[in-house]
Structures are given as structure tokens and as C-alpha cells.
Amino acid sequence: MAARTGKDFLDRLTRSRPTVHVQGETLTGGVHDHPAFRNVVRSYAELYDLQHSDAHRDVLTYTSPTSGEPVATSFLVPTTPGELRKRREAFTVRAEHSNGMLGRTGDYLNSALMAMATAADWFAGADPAFGENVRRYYVRAREQDLLLSHTLIPPQVNRALPGPRQAGGGVAARIVREDDNGVVVRGARMLATIAPFADDLLVLPSTVLRGTPEDRPYSYAFAVPMDAEGLRCVAREPLDPGLPRHDHPLASRFDEPDCVVVFDDVHVPYERCFLLGDVERCNELFTRTSAVAHMSHQVVVRTVAKTEYILGLVSLLTEAIGIDGYQHVQEDVAEVIIALETLRAFLRAAEADAAVNEFGVLTPAWAPLNAARNLYPKLYQRFPQILRKLGASGLMATPTALDVTGPAAADIDAYLQAATLTGAERVKLFRLVWDTCVSAFSGRQALYEYYFFGDPVRMAAAYVASYDREPYKARVRSFLDGYAAAEARPGRGPE
């Protein structure tokens, strides 16, 4: 099977039997039709249909080197600037479809898997079988167009302790035994976004392990089917209220479920394992394989699309109510424009300075991508604030679709009109602003962006530790030494 259609995706879901706990129910299948998931599932189906549309198929697919069939561009191994550009164009099409609100579209983890597979020799340094496993799994995911979720961190029990040591080591997912065919995993991980309707779960290292013998059971990288025996998802409350799209234009389409995943003695065959018990390689996986750079490339494209959406929304809002001429309003709009152009500059620099890594993959420059991923969590917190400030009390006056077409229609037309819109048009626009900056969905988006790559404080500390500041320190020292020498020259007196 090549690049999937939306129907292919939905047909697969009808056959899948993941165990999902949601709002007091336990599902063992039927995820595609459940009210908590059905709308976002259909949004994902739309993404698969884009791969076959006349407008986008040439960007969203390329010819598989093994089957000759069209496969998703997010699996493409870039070796030329044109191929890297094609990947970015494909990311853009997908991101613009949801205005950047879908954060775990398939191209995100496909990018990580592509980088890992090209670094198969590095995995083979731990065990030759691991190199073959990751390469084979990449080909399988590419040819079957799998949708992947992933999980990185243990549940928060006592954050004063490292994850493996919380609750006496009995909470974090760990390898409890091995047999002739694989390993058995017990415990929990979070935060598996889109897990209920994903094909497979990538269970990858994230938190830095200390390298002690006690850390070995927590050191692994593997893939497991979402309907594997013993694997369960505990989903958060859905934010899609099941009301008309007019009333919740974002939540009704783009509410990606976040889950804690529980491994109740899940058996993982060796052929699905990429690392086992190798603490050092687990700590290096994302950087040595360049997976983090290719994932960040996709993320920055998505955040550009999301910021473009915010700018368009802010502009329509200010024009609608006639405040776009005020300088303090223009200052707020300028803040969004500056954020957008900053992100575009990071993206352009990353591609312009791309270099071939040790595995022959043309990889976007890490420095601008790393700056972007450290900056955006803070940038995005400002956007809802700006929208709330500019929309003000008007965001409270947002009747529903039933009101717009019901007995209150005349009052809405008369009293909720805007400078450039009818009452019904204004309500529709303000419902979108509300769902972007006030609703529960908007709150999840702000939290999600803030912690997308982890705790921003820890990210900043890692950023400082990894950044080479020696050339700049040397220049300042040279400047200091230069005027000290001038002071010491004979005949030099006070000025």
C-alpha cells in the first residue's frame, strides 16, 4: 500500500482495537465513531486525502525507492536543497490545513523516523540487529503510511526525583524481563498525543538518564502497535463539545487527544526494538541521528503557519470593529508581525545553512531551529493575550448558531453588527477569536506550545550549556587587553 487516502485511514481504524479509557468508558475499538474523537479523526482523514488531490499530490508525495509507488514526502531523505525545500513545502500544506492547530500530524514523527533510519549504523553500534530493525521499520512505516504517536516521559509523581526513581521505581515504564523473542514492559508513560487513533506508538528516550545500573531498565527505544495486548490509553477530557462548527470552529475539528499510556506487561518483539539497556545511546539518540533537527524543521514550519493565522485573525478583528487606526492597537499588531518575520528568518537560515550530516542526510542548521524552539513557547503566550485585549467585552457577546438563525436573529443583526460586518458575520468571526484565545481548546493550545519540547527553563539551561560562547568571550578579552596595553604605553597620562 502506498500513500493512504482518508478512506484507507478510516477503514484501518474500524479494524483497530486499542484499549482507551475516556470519560468513564472503556473502548476496545470504535474510536473513529466515538464523540470524543470522531471529528479530529476526520480532520486527519482530510490530511490523507490531500496526498491525492490535484493541487497537492506532487508536493505531498514522492516515488518510493523500493515499491515505485507514491509515498508521503515526510519520509523523503533529503540530500539536495531541492529535496529539503520539498519537505518544507509539504509541511506547509499540512500545517495550513489546520492553521497550525494540529501539532502531531504524521509528518512530525515521520521526520524523526527518517533521521533515525538513515543513522542505522549508529544503532548497529549497540547491536547490529538494532540497525536493521530501525531501517526495516522505517520502510514499513513509509510503505504503509503509518500514523505514529510517541511517548517520552514518566508520569509526574515526585519531580524532586529523577523519573526512574519516582514512587520507588514502580511508576515509570521499564523493562521487567526478557525472553527469547523480546522484552516485557511494565509501567506508564506520557504524553501520547493522538494515541487512540494512531497505528503505532514510538516509545523513545527523552529525559537524561544517569548511566547507573538502575537506569538500564528505563533505557530503550522501540515501537509497539496501539492495539498491542496489555497497552492502555487514559485520555484527558475531550475539548470538542460536539456542537456546531460555527460555535467551536477549532475545537470541533482539531482537538487532538492527549493520553497517559499504561504498559501492563506489554511484550515487545526484538524486531521492534531499536535500543535496549544502552544509557549513553539513549541520551544521544535525538542529537546524534539529527532527528531533533528534522523534527524541529517541521515544527518551525507549523509555527509559521500558526502565526500567519493569528496575524490574519488579529487583522480581521481590528478592521471589523474599527480600531485598526489606533497606534496602541497597531503596536499589538506589529508584535505579531515581528514574531512572524522572526520565525520566517529562522526557517530561511536553517535551510540556507543546511549541511550534510555524518550519515549523508542534508540537515537544516540546528542553531536557528534551536533558537526558534526556545523562543516560540513564549511568543505564543502573547497571541491569546493580544486577541483578548483587542476583542475585549465583545468576546462575551458571542451567541450560538441557533441564535443567529433563531428568534434572536433580528436583534443580532441590529445590535451585534460591526463596522464592516453584519451581525451574523461578526458573531461568526468572534466565535473564532473566542475559540483561539478564551475557550478550553485555546487554553490547551497555549499549554501545549509552552511545553512542546519540554520545560522551557530546562531547555534554556541546555541551550546555554550547548552554545559555543568562547569566540565572543575571546573578542571581549581582546578588547580589554587592547586598551589595557594602551594605558601602559609611555607618555600616556590621564585624559
Side-chain angles (χ1 to χ4, degrees):
M1 184 173 67
R4 287 198 287 199
T5 64
K7 183 179 183 301
D8 294 332
F9 172 65
L10 293 172
D11 287 347
R12 194 277 305 169
L13 273 179
T14 64
R15 299 189 300 272
S16 181
R17 296 291 182 269
T19 300
V20 182
H21 300 295
V22 57
Q23 289 190 304
E25 292 184 71
T26 298
L27 307 180
T28 53
V31 165
H32 63 294
D33 276 336
H34 191 275
F37 310 117
R38 62 188 174 203
N39 285 334
V40 69
V41 162
R42 278 148 186 79
S43 292
Y44 268 74
E46 290 170 8
L47 293 176
Y48 283 107
D49 279 335
L50 289 177
Q51 297 182 140
H52 298 271
S53 69
D54 291 340
H56 301 302
R57 69 163 61 94
D58 290 342
V59 169
L60 291 179
T61 64
Y62 73 106
T63 302
S64 164
T66 55
S67 68
E69 296 289 330
V71 291
T73 298
S74 49
F75 291 108
L76 175 65
V77 178
T79 58
T80 68
E83 290 172 334
L84 193 62
R85 183 170 58 252
K86 179 171 181 172
R87 286 179 57 84
R88 185 240 302 150
E89 291 169 350
F91 297 156
T92 299
V93 169
R94 288 174 172 270
E96 289 182 349
H97 190 71
S98 69
N99 288 318
M101 295 293 170
L102 292 177
R104 283 292 186 262
T105 51
D107 45 2
Y108 177 67
L109 286 173
N110 293 354
S111 298
L113 187 58
M114 176 276 294
M116 290 165 58
T118 57
D121 289 346
W122 179 80
F123 288 91
D127 185 322
F130 293 151
E132 285 304 310
N133 290 350
V134 72
R135 186 182 290 113
R136 213 168 27 241
Y137 184 77
Y138 158 73
V139 172
R140 176 176 176 270
R142 182 187 70 201
E143 298 303 315
Q144 297 184 22
D145 206 4
L146 298 183
L147 178 62
L148 306 176
S149 179
H150 77 322
T151 180
L152 298 171
I153 61 175
Q156 298 176 356
V157 176
N158 179 359
R159 296 186 68 189
L161 297 173
R165 291 166 178 77
Q166 295 187 29
V171 169
R174 61 208 180 278
I175 297 170
V176 293
R177 64 178 180 274
E178 296 190 37
D179 57 34
D180 292 342
N181 298 316
V183 296
V184 175
V185 181
R186 182 184 304 162
R189 275 285 196 100
M190 52 186 267
L191 193 63
T193 301
I194 74 163
F197 54 86
D199 292 287
D200 280 6
L201 181 70
L202 290 181
V203 186
L204 302 175
S206 176
T207 52
V208 175
L209 300 163
R210 296 184 176 185
T212 65
E214 291 78 13
D215 282 317
R216 288 178 58 82
Y218 305 90
S219 308
Y220 45 69
F222 59 83
V224 64
M226 278 310 308
D227 57 1
E229 184 178 356
L231 185 64
R232 303 191 296 273
C233 291
V234 182
R236 63 157 170 79
E237 176 187 8
L239 304 177
D240 175 3
L243 296 174
R245 184 171 293 184
H246 173 281
D247 298 341
H248 297 267
L250 300 178
S252 64
R253 297 182 64 190
F254 307 131
D255 179 31
E256 296 172 302
D258 306 299
C259 303
V260 175
V261 287
V262 178
F263 297 82
D264 189 1
D265 286 3
V266 175
H267 186 267
V268 183
Y270 278 127
E271 60 264 25
R272 282 177 164 266
C273 295
F274 313 136
L275 288 174
L276 291 174
D278 192 324
V279 175
E280 182 178 353
R281 274 185 166 77
C282 282
N283 287 339
E284 294 179 346
L285 186 152
F286 286 100
T287 54
R288 280 297 302 275
T289 65
S290 299
V292 69
H294 288 283
M295 295 164 76
S296 297
H297 188 213
Q298 186 271 349
V299 170
V300 176
V301 172
R302 180 184 64 80
T303 57
V304 166
K306 196 169 192 175
T307 307
E308 289 173 341
Y309 160 73
I310 295 293
L311 178 58
L313 189 62
V314 167
S315 301
L316 290 175
L317 170 62
T318 56
E319 290 172 4
I321 56 178
I323 61 173
D324 51 320
Y326 294 107
Q327 288 187 335
H328 68 284
V329 172
Q330 293 169 353
E331 182 183 26
D332 289 330
V333 177
E335 186 175 341
V336 181
I337 295 172
I338 291 166
L340 174 59
E341 291 303 325
T342 300
L343 292 168
R344 285 175 172 167
F346 283 141
L347 185 59
R348 185 181 182 91
E351 294 181 10
D353 295 342
V356 176
N357 71 4
E358 62 181 295
F359 307 108
V361 182
L362 185 63
T363 301
W366 177 232
L369 294 177
N370 200 12
R373 75 178 193 139
N374 274 270
L375 180 61
Y376 197 72
K378 300 174 180 63
L379 285 179
Y380 192 78
Q381 306 312 304
R382 280 288 295 148
F383 300 158
Q385 292 174 359
I386 290 171
L387 287 167
R388 288 194 297 268
K389 172 184 173 184
L390 299 178
S393 61
L395 293 171
M396 302 292 190
T398 51
T400 67
L402 293 176
D403 296 310
V404 170
T405 58
D411 287 337
I412 289 171
D413 280 339
Y415 302 116
L416 292 183
Q417 63 182 293
T420 63
L421 301 174
T422 66
E425 291 169 340
R426 181 185 184 277
V427 169
K428 187 175 183 180
L429 172 63
F430 271 64
R431 292 297 307 195
L432 181 57
V433 176
W434 177 84
D435 214 12
T436 307
C437 70
V438 178
S439 68
F441 175 86
S442 74
R444 186 264 180 190
Q445 287 286 318
L447 185 68
Y448 181 79
E449 295 293 0
Y450 194 72
Y451 289 105
F452 189 93
F453 278 109
D455 182 346
V457 174
R458 294 186 181 185
M459 285 178 59
Y463 191 25
V464 171
S466 65
Y467 199 90
D468 183 10
R469 293 173 286 159
E470 289 305 319
Y472 315 112
K473 289 158 64 176
R475 195 168 81 190
V476 175
R477 290 192 191 101
S478 177
F479 181 77
L480 290 170
D481 292 344
Y483 74 69
E487 290 286 348
R489 284 201 296 269
R492 175 73 173 174
E495 295 183 357

